[in-house]
Amino acid sequence: MKRRIIHIDEEKCNGCGACAAACHEGAIAMVDGKAHLMRDDYCDGLGDCLPTCPTGAITFVEREAAPYDEAAVQAAKRQKAAAACGCPGSAPKTLHAGCPGSQARSLAGGEEAPALQTAAPSRLRQWPVQIKLVPLQAPFFDGAKLLIAADCTAYAYAAFHERFIRGHVTLVGCPKLDSVDYSEKLAEILRRNEIREVTVVRMEVPCCGGLEQAAKRALQASGKFIPWQVVTISTDGRILD
């Protein structure tokens, strides 16, 4: 049948994921950093996703498409909800210090691994942490100190959790590997939430400059005055500034 349905222009899509989050039917998903209409029969043609797209990549078209299948949509929602109970996946949630995932665990024979006996607790406060996956708005953002960190920094700087993650909501990414401009999504996060301050932690390598520049553009585009700083880590694990 011929009906109204959405069309996504991949050239305009910046991979922010806002449309996928806004699609209550689950018709849209992120594939290789781009939004895709996965199933015609999941799209109701109402277009809740359109106003959320910051680049205007989504429009309506009239074309041959399978009819909207509400029963299939509801079944998929129930299946997704059941799966979420067993695996956190990328569902946003607030974490707490001292949760079971950050505690040392005993080995099968009752002997505790020496390395785990003195393990420092995780200071991570929320999930997910990847810039590409984090929602635009979430309770953990309210009044938060925001840490925007390059992927490699936590590996290079030994005390990263205590020095940087502690007391912050953490977002991580790599502009070289992700090949996306984070600035638009970061700007939207800053607009929609009450962020108290921003710390950018990057490596000394040139490609990390993309993360710093994206954060600067986001701060400017947000229209808010938010205190911010940039910390650079050397490849041998020192703080350079």
Side-chain angles (χ1 to χ4, degrees):
M1 64 178 292
K2 194 170 186 178
R3 69 182 183 93
R4 187 171 79 160
I5 197 167
I6 65 162
H7 170 74
I8 303 173
D9 185 339
E10 289 190 27
E11 294 297 321
K12 292 182 179 180
C13 177
N14 69 354
C16 71
C19 59
C23 180
H24 305 298
E25 290 72 32
I28 302 174
M30 304 305 295
V31 179
D32 295 329
K34 297 287 185 178
H36 288 262
L37 176 61
M38 305 303 291
R39 291 184 54 158
D40 288 359
D41 60 339
Y42 280 19
C43 178
D44 59 8
L46 298 179
D48 288 346
C49 54
L50 267 71
T52 68
C53 180
T55 64
I58 306 176
T59 55
F60 281 125
V61 296
E62 291 278 343
R63 66 170 176 83
E64 289 292 331
Y68 173 59
D69 189 341
E70 184 175 2
V73 169
Q74 294 303 320
K77 285 183 178 180
R78 288 192 294 271
Q79 184 177 12
K80 184 177 181 181
C85 292
C87 175
S90 60
K93 68 176 184 177
T94 301
L95 305 179
H96 301 283
C99 67
S102 67
Q103 295 174 350
R105 303 190 178 199
S106 297
L107 301 178
E111 180 184 354
E112 196 169 291
L116 295 181
Q117 290 178 348
T118 57
S122 170
R123 298 301 182 182
L124 193 63
R125 298 178 60 185
Q126 98 292 337
W127 186 265
V129 296
Q130 287 289 335
I131 298 173
K132 291 172 62 175
L133 299 179
V134 75
L136 295 176
Q137 200 164 6
F140 52 70
F141 279 129
D142 293 337
K145 296 180 179 180
L146 189 63
L147 170 66
I148 303 173
D151 285 346
C152 298
T153 54
Y155 295 95
Y157 190 75
F160 195 82
H161 272 247
E162 290 298 326
R163 173 65 174 80
F164 296 109
I165 293 181
R166 186 173 188 172
H168 290 77
V169 165
T170 304
L171 304 183
V172 301
C174 176
K176 184 174 183 179
L177 296 181
D178 287 344
S179 299
V180 296
D181 182 2
Y182 298 127
S183 60
E184 292 186 4
K185 184 169 187 180
L186 290 174
E188 196 62 25
I189 289 172
L190 295 175
R191 287 192 197 101
R192 296 191 185 194
N193 304 278
E194 292 302 318
I195 304 297
R196 292 164 52 193
E197 63 181 59
V198 175
T199 298
V200 179
V201 182
R202 53 162 293 184
M203 296 297 297
E204 63 176 328
V205 295
C207 58
C208 258
L211 186 68
E212 180 180 344
Q213 293 304 314
K216 287 181 179 179
R217 290 194 298 271
L219 285 159
Q220 293 169 349
S222 71
K224 295 182 177 180
F225 176 76
I226 302 175
W228 67 287
Q229 63 173 329
V230 178
V231 179
T232 302
I233 306 294
S234 69
T235 53
D236 59 357
R238 295 175 294 112
I239 294 179
L240 299 180
D241 53 20

